[in-house]
Amino acid sequence: MAEDVRVGARFVIPGAELRERFSRSSGPGGQGVNTTDSRVELSFDVASSAVIPPALKERITTRLGTRLVDGVLTIAASEYRSQLMNRDAARERLADVLTKASAPPPAKRRPTKPSRGSKERRLAAKKRRSDVKRGRGGRYDD
């Protein structure tokens, strides 16, 4: 039985809603590389999940629109030789992706005006630069 995945403080995905597929991984592995199924594909159906609140589900599906295939998010992990370590890595990555996708949007920026002092400093710097360039006239009095 697959264990549950906690997605921040927002919700917990029960192991029953996760699908795992194992296949042979490319890369290092020695003699066992062609015989062990160490690559893990973890799939989670975001669209039909009952544990995600509706408001969060809408936010997640919009943010992960390009990564979802028919509402299903698939995470592949094959960086370790061990199937167990790849399973843990895939679960961590799934939780991380869903945490970032369900985060509230950042606060809107309140536009501000430049202060009087900053305007004066900017104009003074422009004047100094103008004087420097004007001093490069190229005329020399012999």
Side-chain angles (χ1 to χ4, degrees):
M1 182 75 184
E3 59 271 1
D4 301 345
V5 175
R6 174 168 288 285
V7 179
R10 302 192 187 292
F11 54 91
V12 176
I13 302 171
E17 287 195 18
L18 298 173
R19 298 284 171 258
E20 290 178 327
R21 228 179 80 200
F22 305 103
S23 60
R24 295 198 177 123
S25 177
S26 63
Q31 294 173 336
V33 73
N34 295 325
T35 58
T36 56
D37 292 340
S38 60
R39 181 174 188 267
V40 177
E41 280 186 17
L42 185 65
S43 298
F44 173 59
D45 194 351
V46 177
S48 66
S49 176
V51 295
I52 303 176
L56 275 183
K57 189 182 293 189
E58 184 179 333
R59 186 185 303 161
I60 290 172
T61 50
T62 6
R63 288 194 181 162
L64 295 178
T66 57
R67 291 191 64 174
L68 298 178
V69 177
D70 296 331
V72 177
L73 174 66
T74 303
I75 305 283
S78 62
E79 57 264 19
Y80 300 106
R81 288 183 179 188
S82 157
Q83 185 185 89
L84 187 61
M85 290 178 73
N86 282 331
R87 286 180 73 199
D88 292 341
R91 288 169 183 279
E92 285 176 28
R93 218 174 299 149
L94 175 73
D96 188 47
V97 165
L98 289 175
T99 301
K100 287 179 181 171
S102 64
K108 295 240 185 219
R109 180 189 166 274
R110 263 184 40 211
T112 57
K113 293 181 179 177
S115 67
R116 183 175 166 192
S118 70
K119 286 181 189 176
E120 289 173 0
R121 285 189 299 273
R122 183 179 65 85
L123 292 175
K126 288 176 70 149
K127 178 81 174 124
R128 278 192 306 272
R129 188 71 184 148
S130 170
D131 292 341
V132 166
K133 289 189 172 189
R134 193 178 311 118
R136 296 181 188 156
R139 282 196 245 142
Y140 296 103
D141 295 331
D142 291 329

